[in-house]
Amino acid sequence: MDHEGLRHWSKRAADWAADYHAGLRDRPVRAPLVPGAIARQLPGVPPDAPEPMEAIWSDFETIIPGGMTHWQHPRFFAYFPANAAPASMLAEQLVNAMACNALIWQTSPAATEVEQVMVDWLRQAVGLPEEFVGTIHDSATNATLSAVLTMREKALGYRGLEEGLSGAPTLRFYASAETHTSVDKAIRVAGIGQRNLVKVATDKARAMTGAALAAAIAADRAAGLQPAGVILCAGGTSVGAFDRIGECIAVARSEGLPTHVDAAWAGSAMICPEFRALWAGIEGADSVVFNPHKWLGAQFDCSVQLLRDPGAQVRTLGLRPTYLETAGREEIVNFNEWTVPLGRRFRALKLWFVLRAYGLDGLRERIRNHVAWAQLARHALAALPGVEIVTEPRLSLFSFALASDAATEALLQRINDDGRIYLTQTRVDGRFAIRVQVGSFDCSKEDVMLIASTVQEMLASCSSESLSSR
Ligand code: PLP
């Protein structure tokens, strides 16, 4: 295919996309397939001869959409959302057309400079102080890894980078068990070792408190271990837990420890001032990550890390060999020096389009609706016989269960096999619970109210021993 062919097929793709989105409500949210069902439809060997685009297109239509779980479906209430607002998709089309690698400023000045401005727009939007600057990663996992590597090197006086870790003191990091496993992964990949991630006990509200953090640090110091950093949870994946951010940051600071806050999901909600009490004290953090690709509509991938002072991270991750120099421009920002990968996509364009096309007010309205509708769904579910709310809504996330784990699991299976809505599970103090998060960009109140009516139908149609056994 050449570029004239691309012109033709892009128009066809745009039409297909519009029809796909218009028809999403008629599709099951979750792919109703067994493993291997798609792979079996593909030839086992690559073609030697070129194939006509008509044949490729036809196979796409026949095989792929039916094998997708539809993340943009208005009744996607599983995991967290990965919203792609239409304006974001448009920006991504343009980025695809230019297909740059924005590894340094010189390789696409617009990509770097739009990124700088968009990160600052977002900083203002979530209410962080002016001194914060930042960058866009592919994922919160990589942002957290970058933060952990930086905290490690700060603690080692930047010797780990040269000498490795074999002779280094044992470093200790602190987080609650409510934090996402991306924190565990970062600790493992950074050579800290899982055992040196202290899972600090939480209070009844599933929050790490300043007192519990202080006690954990004191115990380590007494044992001759070296505390190196604190990772705080602002909107945990399981049930939306928030640590006592301000309290914990105050403790970390008094101990001379840096902090990184994982607000991957909940950070987007902070564009609404009324939710900021949940992360009160955030302005004291050294690093904060949140994913506009979750709840803000800037499609995957787009994970923003805001840093009080990027110096330590750039010192940890930055390398500037001759082949990456830009002659006479030593002052420019090369964002690859802030992140683990060298190559980087032009991710800021979709933020520019989304923030302008909907405005902060439009985005706030969506998030406020989601939070309000989650409350309605919670009450409608609580009114059903046998249904118990396990955790109350945190922003737009809550969980519910039946009397036994087996009954709850069976109910979840039925709901997802039915396909009108898609929910996923967690464990709360060992109990199997069904998570509900409301956050799809295009969902309506009616879509959300379908959660309780679907559950009611599933309960009514279930045999008494499979769902109501105690
Ligand atoms: N942190 C939290 C709270 C999350 O919910 C997730 C993913 O859902 C992550 C981190 C990891 O995000 P990513 O997929 O961007 O690495």
Side-chain angles (χ1 to χ4, degrees):
M1 184 161 85
D2 60 13
H3 286 282
E4 271 313 303
L6 180 60
R7 180 194 299 280
H8 168 79
W9 287 101
S10 299
K11 288 177 180 162
R12 185 121 173 228
D15 286 340
W16 183 89
D19 293 342
Y20 167 77
H21 283 274
L24 271 178
R25 280 191 178 83
D26 300 328
R27 292 181 185 265
V29 190
R30 188 184 69 165
L33 296 183
V34 291
I38 298 297
R40 268 196 296 280
Q41 297 180 65
L42 308 183
V45 291
D48 282 322
E51 295 188 52
M53 189 45 66
E54 281 78 6
I56 301 172
W57 182 273
S58 158
D59 285 346
F60 162 74
E61 283 193 309
T62 315
I63 299 171
I64 303 301
M68 298 300 287
T69 289
H70 302 290
W71 282 72
Q72 306 312 316
H73 197 298
R75 297 194 294 267
F76 181 98
F77 303 115
Y79 309 100
F80 282 135
N83 283 340
S88 164
M89 293 183 174
L90 180 62
E92 285 287 68
Q93 281 179 25
L94 301 176
V95 169
N96 284 343
M98 295 183 285
C100 72
N101 186 340
L103 45 99
I104 58 176
W105 176 84
Q106 182 69 81
T107 61
S108 276
T112 297
E113 295 184 18
V114 176
E115 181 161 335
Q116 288 173 306
V117 177
M118 287 310 105
V119 168
D120 193 60
W121 281 14
L122 287 175
R123 173 195 68 74
Q124 295 172 51
V126 300
L128 280 173
E130 254 175 43
E131 66 255 36
F132 279 83
V133 291
T135 190
I136 307 179
H137 297 257
D138 57 350
S139 59
T141 300
N142 257 332
T144 294
L145 174 60
S146 305
V148 167
L149 290 167
T150 303
M151 293 194 277
R152 183 194 79 187
E153 285 309 311
K154 265 186 167 174
L156 296 178
Y158 299 93
R159 285 192 306 278
L161 297 171
E162 291 294 333
E163 296 168 17
L165 302 180
S166 52
T170 301
L171 300 182
R172 304 281 279 179
F173 285 79
Y174 306 87
S176 91
E178 298 291 331
T179 52
H180 188 263
T181 50
S182 53
V183 175
D184 303 69
K185 191 180 271 191
I187 290 290
R188 291 169 177 216
V189 173
I192 305 299
Q194 182 78 58
R195 261 186 255 148
N196 294 311
L197 176 62
V198 180
K199 295 286 172 84
V200 179
T202 50
D203 66 8
K204 276 193 193 133
R206 300 179 195 285
M208 172 159 63
T209 62
L213 175 61
I217 295 171
D220 276 355
R221 288 206 198 279
L225 301 168
Q226 184 178 337
V230 178
I231 298 137
L232 297 171
C233 176
T237 313
S238 174
V239 293
F242 280 80
D243 290 333
R244 301 255 193 92
I245 302 290
E247 240 178 75
C248 292
I249 288 174
V251 168
R253 284 190 148 194
S254 72
E255 296 282 348
L257 299 178
T259 49
H260 169 70
V261 180
D262 178 5
W265 162 64
S268 295
M270 302 309 168
I271 65 169
C272 306
E274 69 271 29
F275 300 135
R276 291 185 196 153
L278 287 166
W279 73 358
I282 191 73
E283 62 284 352
D286 294 299
S287 165
V288 181
V289 63
F290 85 98
N291 286 357
H293 74 227
K294 283 188 159 53
W295 208 358
L296 220 50
Q299 75 197 70
F300 187 81
D301 51 2
C302 187
S303 180
V304 170
Q305 184 189 16
L306 289 151
L307 294 155
R308 165 186 306 289
D309 171 7
Q313 191 155 312
V314 173
R315 185 166 172 191
T316 302
L317 301 177
L319 290 167
R320 201 180 285 191
T322 309
Y323 51 80
L324 293 178
E325 280 172 4
T326 306
R329 296 238 176 266
E330 278 69 36
E331 80 290 359
I332 41 129
V333 166
N334 290 328
F335 271 133
N336 81 77
E337 296 166 9
W338 300 43
T339 63
V340 175
L342 170 63
R344 52 200 341 268
R345 302 181 62 241
F346 183 2
R347 300 191 184 92
L349 194 74
K350 58 197 168 197
L351 279 171
W352 195 40
F353 275 43
V354 165
L355 292 170
R356 296 178 66 189
Y358 308 99
L360 287 176
D361 279 343
L363 298 169
R364 287 187 190 111
E365 187 186 347
R366 278 187 169 77
I367 287 174
R368 286 177 176 138
N369 279 340
H370 297 160
V371 171
W373 296 339
Q375 284 287 351
L376 296 180
R378 175 252 179 254
H379 287 292
L381 280 166
L384 300 179
V387 171
E388 189 188 325
I389 301 302
V390 178
T391 56
E392 293 294 334
R394 270 304 172 95
L395 297 169
S396 64
L397 170 66
F398 66 96
S399 63
F400 70 96
L402 301 180
S404 74
D405 283 1
T408 312
E409 278 186 58
L411 173 63
L412 181 63
Q413 174 94 34
R414 266 176 181 258
I415 291 168
N416 290 333
D417 287 349
D418 172 78
R420 279 173 292 173
I421 61 173
Y422 183 20
L423 303 175
T424 48
Q425 71 288 336
T426 188
R427 282 201 183 266
V428 180
D429 301 328
R431 180 178 186 188
F432 187 94
I434 301 176
R435 288 168 80 256
V436 179
Q437 74 72 28
V438 178
S440 180
F441 202 74
D442 286 331
C443 79
S444 65
K445 189 172 164 187
E446 290 66 41
D447 290 315
V448 177
M449 296 322 285
L450 208 80
I451 299 170
S453 56
T454 305
V455 170
Q456 185 171 26
E457 249 182 70
M458 297 299 123
L459 286 171
S461 67
C462 283
S463 71
S464 52
E465 79 268 22
S466 66
L467 288 189
S468 357
S469 57
R470 278 168 192 269

